[in-house]
Amino acid sequence: MPRASLPNSADKIEEVRIDTDILIIGAGNAGCFAAIEAKRLNPDLKVTLMEKAHIDRSGCLAGGMDAINTYIKKGRTIEDFVRWSRSQAGGLLREDLTITMAEVLNKPIEEWEDWGMPIKYEEDGEEYKTRGKWDITISGSEMKVILAEKTRECGCEIINRVVATNYLMDGEKVIGAIGFGVRDGKVYIIRAKATIIATGGAAGLYKPYQNDGNDSHHQLWYSPFNVGSGFAMGIRVGAEMTTFEMRWCATRTKDFNGPIDTISVGYKTPMINCKGEQILKTRYAHLGGDAAPRFIRANLPMDEWREGRGPCYVDTTNMTQEQIYDMKYDYLNERPSYVLFLAGRAQDLQKDPIEIYGSDPYIVGGHTASGYWVDVKRATTLPGLYACGDVAGGTPNKFVGGCAAEGLLSARAAVEYVTGLELANINEDQIAREKDRIFAAGFRQAIVGDGVKPREMEERLQRLMDEYAGGVHQFFRMNKEGLEYALRHIKIMKDQVKYLIASDLHELMDAHEIIDRLDVAEVLVHHLMYREETRWPGWQTRADFPEKNDEKFDCFVNSRYNPETGEVEMFTRPYEQIIPGDRLKA
Amino acid sequence: MPPVVYKEKCKSCGKCEEVCPGDLMELAEDKKAVCRSARDCWDCMACVKACQFDAIETRIPYQLGYYPAKLIPKMRDKEIEWTCIDINGKVEKFLVKTYNK
Ligand SMILES: Cc1cc2nc3c(=O)[nH]c(=O)nc-3n(C[C@H](O)[C@H](O)[C@H](O)COP(=O)(O)OP(=O)(O)OC[C@H]3O[C@@H](n4cnc5c(N)ncnc54)[C@H](O)[C@@H]3O)c2cc1C
Ligand code: SF4
Ligand code: SF4
């Protein structure tokens, strides 16, 4: 694709206008499944995918996956699944959403297999090979390419390399989206009867510890190209968000910041501290031992460090050579460069175990419960807008299968919603304003030639969040005063957005990435301030409120940015238990 | 993290530019591929897999992993043959299945 240069004035901006029935923003895992399902339900509908990268390798699945973390195997029930997911999330999730997701959880995975994705079977042949209780092992290196091919086949319109920047609005109603082509420099105005947001979660809000000078800035676990744009677009027009404070801070392989389940779940290697103690079984037995909730497992290597018992490891020294070989095979399916990293250390895993450490915190609704507040149809609080995958809240432990399943659910609801509906009228003033907002950093570069580079502002935000809002360098801990400090500086930066400069279209994308991250970070800090307790140590550790406070906070913390006043309004929503039993037990 | 492009092998086909999820690979004025910002690479290896001319190599930043480890995928119809060479020259090979059909 040839690259255009930045338009140097508003009248030079070329427009592309598209009308469609269903617009899906983000052609990742959930977005592709939504597109396929919508076309399947009604082949006469026009379905358009708007993707900032290229559908073949975009989003979390770019490098592949080696497991589907949630699949309901024979003999297991939806109730079992809810109980497990609930206990892993410390007892707080939307049971209605979890149940509706579980009802369709297996379908996308079995379809993927039909389309060509290899899934491993048990030796006796019949059942998928299991990894943990709910995990199955796949050979998913090319799974995104397979899914993209299927999406093309079903006749969707796919617009690659277009970055969505805002929704088109008709009052409170979402009537499509606007964005710009990062290769062609055109502005895309896509009017739709229903819109599905599927842009994934947010990485890059916090500084990762691997960030030495320049070369490893994006040495992240989560896809660094998912920056939370979908959250930001919703925030800016007043969509209700939930549980941002339940951050996804994970135990990852030290220095590489890569997935760990491949080793610890896949090969049952215990976590140990520098003294060789199996910490889950000993020091943390009272919190559930090996079955402790995810946040406990994420937090404890960091606690061990803080107590002077780091570094920590997953003990690979008892693995056989064959197991080590198989484990590398699994990594080649998911994060192939981790195998290269091990070669870069010439590490003999029978002698040198794999070191582990905390990751930088992410906002990922497929792992924790952060994201849009939705109903069982995956409708957001804005009419005409549905959400699925890592961008949708309320349902932790979705992972690959659950995000895809939500794609199906949101498509079903959108297809129903558009029946008999006419396209709304576009507000041309909004378009004119948004064009100016989109290209502002480019215009400033052309006219003033001096200002703030997107990268400078990104690094400022990441350091601020790391130090004052519970980043990995602070062992995920925070207090009221630090959070207030973070908020003050986020506000300064939000005001400084007008100084951003961009010298080409890629830098313009960088500029919008930091603009979006600022909006997400602001809401996140409000959530962290509001929950004056510690519910999920590690994910959400308030050093000034170290205990859990069920009386006040056994509920969802929600927010709504008020576009009129610019204030973030905080409130709670009650927990509703549907599946009986102890919420902390699987 | 920086993908290294061997310019003499690059045939300017544009495949790496087409797929990179971060919009980082592009053809420079000499029509050879470059990664515009090494620090922004996620080392997903999509570009390495897309290049049919073995012109791209993923490098772990030295700050994290030592020189000169290599990981080379050879794409086939239904599998990838991976060759991994560690810093002491030890070679490991893997045949990874990619399609079940
Ligand atoms: C390294 C890694 C390992 C993982 N391992 C596992 C595992 O083993 N098992 C498991 O079950 N789960 C795993 N997960 C989780 C799982 O992959 C994700 O939760 C899930 O795939 C997310 O799906 P999604 O559709 O919400 O997001 P994605 O698939 O990331 O899709 C988001 C899409 O939106 C696009 N986009 C973003 N912003 C914009 C914008 N402004 N305009 C247009 N498009 C935009 C992106 O380019 C992308 O294509 C892993 C995740 C990662 C990152
Ligand atoms: S894919 Fe390989 S040959 Fe083609 S442009 Fe990229 S580096 Fe050059
Ligand atoms: S490894 Fe992935 S992110 Fe890095 S340049 Fe290649 S395609 Fe882009």
Side-chain angles (χ1 to χ4, degrees):
Chain A
M1 217 183 216
R3 283 166 193 262
S5 45
L6 269 172
N8 47 22
S9 63
D11 56 314
K12 297 267 166 47
I13 302 167
E14 270 187 68
E15 273 187 10
V16 180
R17 292 203 181 220
I18 295 170
D19 283 346
T20 189
D21 291 305
I22 298 178
L23 168 66
I24 300 165
I25 308 172
N29 169 14
C32 286
F33 272 98
I36 292 169
E37 181 74 354
K39 269 300 204 187
R40 243 186 329 223
L41 290 170
N42 185 350
D44 295 336
L45 289 180
K46 182 171 172 192
V47 175
T48 305
L49 285 147
M50 186 185 202
E51 168 55 53
K52 85 189 260 195
H54 186 284
I55 185 170
D56 277 356
R57 293 280 186 193
S58 63
C60 291
L61 306 182
M65 291 280 142
D66 70 331
I68 304 278
N69 289 357
T70 45
Y71 178 85
I72 302 183
K73 292 161 206 162
K74 260 199 207 122
R76 293 252 160 79
T77 64
I78 289 176
E79 286 74 25
D80 292 342
F81 179 77
V82 176
R83 284 198 190 93
W84 166 77
S85 186
R86 186 169 68 187
S87 67
Q88 289 295 309
L92 199 68
L93 49 58
R94 283 275 301 276
E95 298 197 8
D96 55 343
L97 298 182
T98 309
I99 292 167
T100 44
M101 177 191 82
E103 282 164 359
V104 287
L105 186 56
N106 291 3
K107 183 180 156 87
I109 298 158
E110 288 159 10
E111 288 190 309
W112 230 321
E113 184 184 29
D114 282 347
W115 301 333
M117 182 181 77
I119 303 186
K120 285 194 193 159
Y121 279 78
E122 296 289 0
E123 310 262 289
D124 58 17
E126 281 287 290
E127 288 236 39
Y128 292 149
K129 186 173 157 59
T130 58
R131 200 171 81 164
K133 202 169 171 189
W134 302 94
D135 315 38
I136 58 173
T137 307
I138 62 170
S139 215
S141 157
E142 304 304 288
M143 69 196 290
K144 188 71 208 298
V145 182
I146 294 171
L147 182 60
E149 190 49 43
K150 227 41 215 182
T151 312
R152 270 190 288 268
E153 239 173 59
C154 75
C156 306
E157 176 180 44
I158 300 162
I159 308 176
N160 289 313
R161 302 290 173 195
V162 173
V163 183
T165 56
N166 259 328
Y167 294 123
L168 293 175
M169 301 300 290
D170 178 14
E172 279 260 285
K173 203 165 119 186
V174 173
I175 56 162
I178 183 165
F180 69 97
V182 69
R183 299 267 169 101
D184 67 12
K186 295 177 187 165
V187 86
Y188 285 73
I189 299 155
I190 308 184
R191 186 163 64 143
K193 292 177 187 164
T195 303
I196 299 175
I197 186 79
T199 45
L205 301 173
Y206 287 82
K207 180 176 162 178
Y209 64 87
Q210 294 84 348
N211 193 342
D212 304 297
N214 278 333
D215 285 349
S216 18
H217 184 72
H218 273 174
Q219 191 57 46
L220 308 186
W221 166 75
Y222 200 64
S223 164
F225 315 120
N226 286 357
V227 303
S229 302
F231 301 132
M233 286 163 61
I235 290 168
R236 288 195 285 262
V237 292
E240 185 173 332
M241 297 287 160
T242 189
T243 324
F244 271 30
E245 74 281 8
M246 188 181 183
R247 306 169 306 162
W248 174 240
C249 316
T251 300
R252 303 286 90 164
T253 57
K254 176 84 177 11
D255 292 348
F256 183 84
N257 210 354
I260 193 76
D261 285 3
T262 307
I263 324 165
S264 60
V265 183
Y267 297 90
K268 316 264 179 301
T269 47
M271 275 189 210
I272 53 172
N273 61 15
C274 69
K275 309 284 180 212
E277 289 174 299
Q278 293 197 13
I279 44 184
L280 272 165
K281 279 207 177 72
T282 54
R283 293 183 181 275
Y284 302 89
H286 61 291
L287 300 173
D290 285 331
R294 269 177 197 271
F295 54 90
I296 302 283
R297 283 182 281 149
N299 193 38
L300 58 89
M302 300 309 284
D303 267 4
E304 289 295 292
W305 262 99
R306 211 159 55 91
E307 299 294 330
R309 294 187 296 268
C312 296
Y313 305 89
V314 284
D315 189 3
T316 52
T317 57
N318 295 316
M319 286 172 81
T320 64
Q321 284 300 350
E322 199 190 346
Q323 282 178 320
I324 290 172
Y325 183 87
D326 288 349
M327 184 200 79
K328 289 184 184 171
Y329 180 104
D330 291 340
Y331 270 113
L332 289 170
N333 275 314
E334 184 181 32
R335 286 291 275 138
S337 46
Y338 186 59
V339 178
L340 177 62
F341 172 85
L342 290 174
R345 298 269 173 107
Q347 197 167 335
D348 176 352
L349 298 179
Q350 285 188 324
K351 294 203 187 92
D352 266 336
I354 289 177
E355 194 187 338
I356 52 178
Y357 203 71
S359 70
D360 43 316
Y362 309 100
I363 303 300
V364 183
H367 281 66
T368 58
S370 324
Y372 280 85
W373 183 252
V374 292
D375 67 12
V376 286
K377 295 192 161 184
R378 272 56 184 177
T380 68
T381 53
L382 303 176
L385 181 68
Y386 299 82
C388 55
D390 282 351
V391 83
T395 322
N397 304 311
K398 283 182 226 173
F399 308 111
V400 170
C403 289
E406 279 199 334
L408 303 180
L409 296 176
S410 61
R412 289 174 192 177
V415 167
E416 193 184 302
Y417 177 81
V418 300
T419 312
L421 202 72
E422 294 297 319
L423 283 163
N425 287 329
I426 286 186
N427 172 342
E428 292 300 331
D429 284 349
Q430 192 203 346
I431 306 282
R433 275 197 312 274
E434 184 61 6
K435 275 189 189 171
D436 280 342
R437 194 187 77 93
I438 290 175
F439 290 98
F443 296 158
R444 184 178 170 92
Q445 173 72 43
I447 298 161
V448 185
D450 188 28
V452 181
K453 293 197 180 89
R455 168 182 155 185
E456 293 170 330
M457 200 179 280
E458 181 188 322
E459 289 182 352
R460 170 71 193 132
L461 174 72
Q462 290 173 344
R463 190 155 70 78
L464 178 73
M465 294 297 287
D466 181 48
E467 291 167 0
Y468 300 93
V472 67
H473 294 88
Q474 294 297 331
F475 295 87
F476 304 135
R477 295 149 59 86
M478 64 196 87
N479 63 15
K480 178 165 179 269
E481 292 74 15
L483 291 167
E484 282 169 351
Y485 180 101
L487 208 52
R488 277 202 305 280
H489 286 265
I490 289 171
K491 283 211 161 39
I492 296 175
M493 272 185 276
K494 278 185 77 166
D495 186 50
Q496 300 239 317
V497 156
K498 56 181 184 267
Y499 300 130
L500 281 170
I501 47 173
S503 54
D504 62 17
L505 285 161
H506 182 91
E507 266 189 19
L508 190 67
M509 177 170 77
D510 291 345
H512 283 278
E513 291 182 348
I514 178 62
I515 292 171
D516 289 351
R517 281 176 171 135
L518 282 171
D519 285 338
V520 178
E522 182 182 27
V523 171
L524 168 60
V525 173
H526 276 283
H527 276 258
L528 291 168
M529 281 185 4
Y530 192 87
R531 197 176 271 287
E532 293 187 328
E533 62 155 3
T534 296
R535 183 153 295 260
W536 308 281
W539 291 353
Q540 182 263 338
T541 306
R542 281 292 297 263
D544 45 355
F545 295 95
E547 303 300 326
K548 196 156 89 167
N549 181 348
D550 274 337
E551 214 172 293
K552 264 182 101 174
F553 290 112
D554 185 15
C555 56
F556 298 99
V557 170
N558 283 14
S559 62
R560 185 180 170 275
Y561 172 83
N562 184 331
E564 262 89 62
T565 62
E567 296 298 313
V568 179
E569 296 156 4
M570 301 302 303
F571 49 96
T572 60
R573 297 259 188 201
Y575 183 89
E576 283 168 32
Q577 182 160 8
I578 300 172
I579 307 291
D582 182 342
R583 281 163 50 201
L584 297 179
K585 292 221 169 83
Chain B
M1 296 218 280
V4 178
V5 180
Y6 295 104
K7 281 198 174 191
E8 65 290 355
K9 289 189 183 172
C10 171
K11 299 274 190 287
S12 314
C13 72
K15 278 270 182 334
C16 54
E17 180 178 31
E18 184 178 352
V19 297
C20 172
D23 189 43
L24 301 172
M25 296 302 293
E26 55 186 86
L27 297 188
E29 268 170 21
D30 61 359
K31 293 272 175 280
K32 301 288 180 183
V34 287
C35 175
R36 64 171 285 146
S37 172
R39 71 197 278 282
D40 288 340
C41 170
W42 192 35
D43 62 300
C44 69
M45 297 188 74
C47 55
V48 185
K49 289 176 183 169
C51 182
Q52 293 157 16
F53 306 99
D54 305 326
I56 315 179
E57 184 191 318
T58 299
R59 246 331 134 74
I60 297 287
Y62 190 80
Q63 294 93 324
L64 305 178
Y66 302 108
Y67 182 82
K70 275 189 201 308
L71 180 65
I72 308 151
K74 197 102 212 119
M75 304 298 284
R76 306 229 183 89
D77 254 7
K78 291 173 189 162
E79 62 188 18
I80 304 176
E81 185 193 71
W82 292 92
T83 306
C84 182
I85 309 166
D86 81 7
I87 49 172
N88 302 323
K90 188 178 157 218
V91 180
E92 271 188 295
K93 287 214 184 254
F94 302 84
L95 270 185
V96 170
K97 202 166 149 189
T98 51
Y99 289 87
N100 61 19
K101 303 271 171 195

